[in-house]
Amino acid sequence: MAGNFWQSSHHQQWMLDKTDLIRDRQHDLNILSDDEYQKIFNFFSSIIQVLGEQLKLRQQVIATAIVYFKRFYARNSLKCIDPLLLAPTCVFLASKVEEFGVISNSRLISTCQTVIKNKFGYAYGQQEFPYRTNHILECEFYLLENLDCCLIVYQPYRPLAGYVNDIGHDEQLMTYAWRIVNDSLRTDVSLLYPPYQIAIGALNLACVMLGKENHKSWFAELNVDLDKIQEIVRTITNMYEMWKNYDEKKEIQGLLAKMPKPKPAPQR
């Protein structure tokens, strides 16, 4: 593992270019609009979040699982693997990488069944969670191969805590900015920007939401690319605007039906 972000595989292999990202998604974007694509990823990020919470995982583990999920589909079409299978596989792998400990196979499957039935029944109706342990284990190898075994993910939480302390510790500001970092996982910023820039963007947005004008001088003194920070803020703000007019419970079934799907495996 690299001792710092700049020497890590996260920086050297997984800081993607926006143009490349759009090009690699083209197969899916021929079927789905960009808005629909983002809504689908919002939905599966929610599944990973709820699954992680039910399994009592730390937020760092959940965030890493979501980044794995986003990275896989940054290089692959949605039709390669059912996202409903990849989501728990990412949770399973992230719990090991982040040294939370291995989740037992039976607990993972039973939690998936409960979460899909009780929390996301509006999307899947009466459908049971269709996968078993052998599917998760097989999918994990495929996920590892596609991530090129680059498993260490640097998250914005640690730099965020440092920045808040530097400004002058403010519990309300920390809480708001932390939530914005969590929300940023629903966008592409974790694929496009270093974690310290995401932390600054979240802090900037939290200050605006809370009306904390007195921190402007602190931001002005930062030696960072402010255009990049504004791009991050704009991306997260655009997602919040989308949420205002989006009723997931009414729309998601139609989006999942439209989504490109893997071909079923041949019957043996």
Side-chain angles (χ1 to χ4, degrees):
M1 172 185 171
N4 70 61
F5 171 74
W6 304 108
Q7 296 170 347
S8 69
S9 60
H10 185 154
H11 175 248
Q12 292 175 359
Q13 289 178 248
W14 285 102
M15 283 284 92
L16 307 181
D17 180 80
K18 197 166 190 176
T19 311
D20 293 341
L21 194 59
I22 293 167
R23 186 197 63 227
D24 291 342
R25 288 175 174 169
Q26 208 49 55
H27 182 278
D28 292 340
L29 294 177
N30 287 337
I31 297 165
L32 301 163
S33 69
D34 186 61
D35 203 36
E36 291 170 333
Y37 188 87
Q38 296 301 337
K39 286 174 180 175
I40 286 169
F41 273 80
N42 246 289
F43 173 72
F44 286 105
S45 297
S46 295
I47 288 181
I48 292 172
Q49 183 72 40
V50 173
L51 191 54
E53 288 169 1
Q54 294 292 313
L55 290 164
K56 307 270 191 296
L57 304 181
R58 299 192 318 273
Q59 182 59 33
Q60 176 92 11
V61 183
I62 296 169
T64 295
I66 294 175
V67 172
Y68 287 168
F69 187 86
K70 304 277 287 189
R71 284 181 179 180
F72 180 88
Y73 289 114
R75 299 267 169 88
N76 295 279
S77 165
L78 285 160
K79 71 174 186 178
C80 289
I81 289 181
D82 183 355
L84 189 59
L85 171 59
L86 191 71
T89 306
C90 291
V91 171
F92 185 62
L93 181 59
S95 69
K96 290 189 277 188
V97 172
E98 294 288 353
E99 297 178 354
F100 177 83
V102 181
I103 304 164
S104 81
N105 297 330
S106 57
R107 184 167 169 240
L108 180 62
I109 297 297
S110 66
T111 306
C112 286
Q113 289 169 338
T114 304
V115 163
I116 295 304
K117 188 174 180 182
N118 297 341
K119 305 279 187 182
F120 297 97
Y122 61 86
Y124 290 104
Q126 298 303 307
Q127 182 190 328
E128 294 283 325
F129 180 70
Y131 299 108
R132 296 295 173 262
T133 301
N134 60 311
H135 298 116
I136 301 269
L137 296 176
E138 188 179 340
C139 186
E140 185 184 24
F141 278 108
Y142 198 49
L143 175 60
L144 281 165
E145 183 185 353
N146 276 268
L147 294 177
D148 200 19
C149 292
C150 300
L151 303 179
I152 302 301
V153 177
Y154 284 78
Q155 299 288 357
Y157 302 110
R158 184 179 288 179
L160 176 65
Y163 293 140
V164 173
N165 281 331
D166 193 46
I167 284 177
H169 190 73
D170 180 329
E171 200 60 47
Q172 186 189 34
L173 184 60
M174 181 67 183
T175 301
Y176 261 70
W178 186 281
R179 284 181 190 155
I180 292 167
V181 167
N182 289 348
D183 291 341
S184 78
L185 292 162
R186 313 296 181 103
T187 72
D188 290 332
V189 297
S190 63
L191 300 173
L192 301 171
Y193 304 97
Y196 81 93
Q197 289 183 346
I198 299 170
I200 294 169
L203 200 50
N204 182 285
L205 195 49
C207 285
V208 171
M209 287 176 167
L210 293 167
K212 291 185 182 286
E213 299 287 321
N214 52 325
H215 298 316
K216 276 185 176 177
S217 59
W218 183 87
F219 285 103
E221 288 169 10
L222 289 174
N223 184 23
V224 293
D225 185 339
L226 291 176
D227 288 341
K228 291 271 195 297
I229 304 303
Q230 287 309 310
E231 284 171 18
I232 292 166
V233 169
R234 199 158 41 245
T235 301
I236 298 169
T237 307
N238 288 345
M239 180 185 65
Y240 287 153
E241 286 299 314
M242 181 195 79
W243 283 0
K244 284 181 186 174
N245 305 310
Y246 174 43
D247 187 340
E248 185 174 87
K249 292 190 175 179
K250 286 183 180 174
E251 291 183 42
I252 195 62
Q253 273 195 335
L255 293 175
L256 293 176
K258 188 177 177 183
M259 181 180 80
K261 293 173 187 61
K263 292 190 175 78
Q267 297 296 318
R268 291 176 182 171

